[in-house]
Amino acid sequence: MQLKKKTIMVLALSLSIFSQGMIVHAKEDGAKIRPEGNGKWMTGEYHAHTYQSDDASQSLQELLDNGFQKYGLDWIAVSDHLRVSKRDDEGNPLAGGSIPFSMGMAQYQIPKIQQLQETGKYKNKIIFSGFEWDMPTYEHVGIGIISGKFGSESSLKAARQFEYLFTDRDEAMFNPKDVADWNKQDSRAYTTPEDARAALAWLQKNYGNRSYALLNHPSRKAVYTIADIRDFNNIAPNVVFGMEGMPGNQMEPDRGGLNLTTPENRTYALIT
């Protein structure tokens, strides 16, 4: 099966669309994709971790300095794991113990980004805080929810609500009033393939034109079929519109998972 052509988007453009309204249109005539109107191509990264992910070893500022100053990126979406976080953005242990990452993002990551920008760093660069979600029964997914201005309470609350609904975080880690409100609206879902689909449907319903869910290293564990990807896009066509094409991930010893020998572990190519 093939995905609709309009859903195959160059990932380097996705955040510019959301963050600055730089709309880039894809031609649907089978020819090469090219920008139209006032759009422009931009280079960026949506899958990058800091100390707030337990398996990472760089500070937020190191990540941004490397991306913008060393590699010349136009935008970066920081994407720490949507798990409990025990360190701040500089790697210091949290005095009160681990907290849900959506809270760590609000307390450490976003304020630090704003602080750095206020000093004049990263001028004309786009920076956004997303997260990497452990999709139930599948693999990692890069999630971004854009609701209001960067760092606004509406965007922070959306991240907290997603983490509450679609991970196994302890209910006691969240504000009781928020929990009561969220329970009236939706049921928690974080275990089955159907739960994974429920999360994508939730994003499509509530943030259909203001969120993304991009499949990270989809070949690593060979858990996706092309039917899954087709299904995800059908459920959330404005949200699930791309994937990370690099095999495996950088932490693996065999060149990112390239040492795949069994038919079940073959890397799939998506052709339209």
Side-chain angles (χ1 to χ4, degrees):
M1 299 182 182
Q2 70 174 31
L3 297 178
K4 296 178 182 178
K5 290 180 182 177
K6 69 178 182 180
T7 65
I8 305 300
M9 299 180 65
V10 178
L11 300 186
L13 302 174
S14 59
L15 292 185
S16 64
I17 292 173
F18 293 131
S19 301
Q20 291 191 345
M22 298 178 181
I23 306 300
V24 178
H25 301 280
K27 284 291 187 181
E28 299 192 19
D29 58 2
K32 64 181 180 181
I33 299 174
R34 56 185 178 273
E36 290 182 342
N38 297 321
K40 67 176 182 179
W41 299 112
M42 304 184 77
T43 302
E45 171 62 66
Y46 80 92
H47 183 186
H49 299 308
T50 74
Y51 280 127
Q52 288 186 263
S53 292
D54 287 348
D55 58 355
S57 57
Q58 65 178 332
S59 71
L60 175 62
Q61 184 169 349
E62 287 175 324
L63 185 155
L64 297 175
D65 284 350
N66 283 332
F68 293 131
Q69 297 172 8
K70 184 175 181 179
Y71 297 107
L73 300 182
D74 299 306
W75 59 262
I76 293 176
V78 188
S79 185
D80 283 303
H81 289 290
L82 193 67
R83 301 171 184 166
V84 291
S85 182
K86 63 183 180 184
R87 301 181 295 189
D88 66 13
D89 64 283
E90 295 182 348
N92 301 308
L94 300 182
S98 298
I99 58 177
F101 173 68
S102 59
M103 296 181 185
M105 180 174 69
Q107 293 178 25
Y108 301 101
Q109 188 176 105
I110 290 176
K112 176 58 72 68
I113 291 171
Q114 293 172 332
Q115 176 189 344
L116 291 168
Q117 289 178 313
E118 287 169 2
T119 67
K121 290 181 72 68
Y122 320 127
K123 186 177 181 180
N124 298 322
K125 301 295 185 179
I126 298 170
I127 308 174
F128 176 72
S129 288
F131 47 81
E132 186 174 34
W133 172 50
D134 296 306
M135 192 185 210
T137 73
Y138 291 103
E139 251 283 1
H140 296 169
V141 179
I143 302 285
I145 303 175
I146 297 88
S147 179
K149 189 177 180 181
F150 174 66
S152 67
E153 175 56 25
S154 60
S155 64
L156 297 176
K157 192 169 184 177
R160 293 195 298 270
Q161 186 175 6
F162 185 93
E163 184 167 18
Y164 171 74
L165 290 173
F166 305 114
T167 76
D168 62 357
R169 295 303 88 81
D170 189 328
E171 182 177 305
M173 302 181 90
F174 298 87
N175 181 290
K177 184 180 183 304
D178 286 342
V179 168
D181 291 340
W182 296 336
N183 285 339
K184 290 177 184 177
Q185 300 169 28
D186 300 285
S187 298
R188 301 190 73 184
Y190 50 78
T191 305
T192 68
E194 290 72 27
D195 292 341
R197 286 159 171 78
L200 300 177
W202 185 88
L203 288 171
Q204 178 67 33
K205 176 183 176 181
N206 295 286
Y207 301 96
N209 293 315
R210 295 174 292 161
S211 67
Y212 61 83
L214 307 176
L215 306 184
N216 292 349
H217 36 74
S219 67
R220 184 172 65 161
K221 297 178 182 177
V223 295
Y224 296 109
T225 67
I226 194 63
D228 288 321
I229 299 173
R230 170 72 277 172
D231 201 21
F232 298 158
N233 179 253
N234 284 340
I235 291 168
N238 297 340
V239 177
V240 185
F241 51 72
M243 68 179 67
E244 184 178 79
M246 182 184 299
N249 75 354
Q250 294 178 2
M251 292 186 68
E252 296 187 39
D254 54 349
R255 297 187 62 203
L258 287 174
N259 184 26
L260 305 176
T261 57
T262 64
E264 292 77 13
N265 287 335
R266 289 173 183 162
T267 300
Y268 294 94
L270 184 61
I271 302 174
T272 62

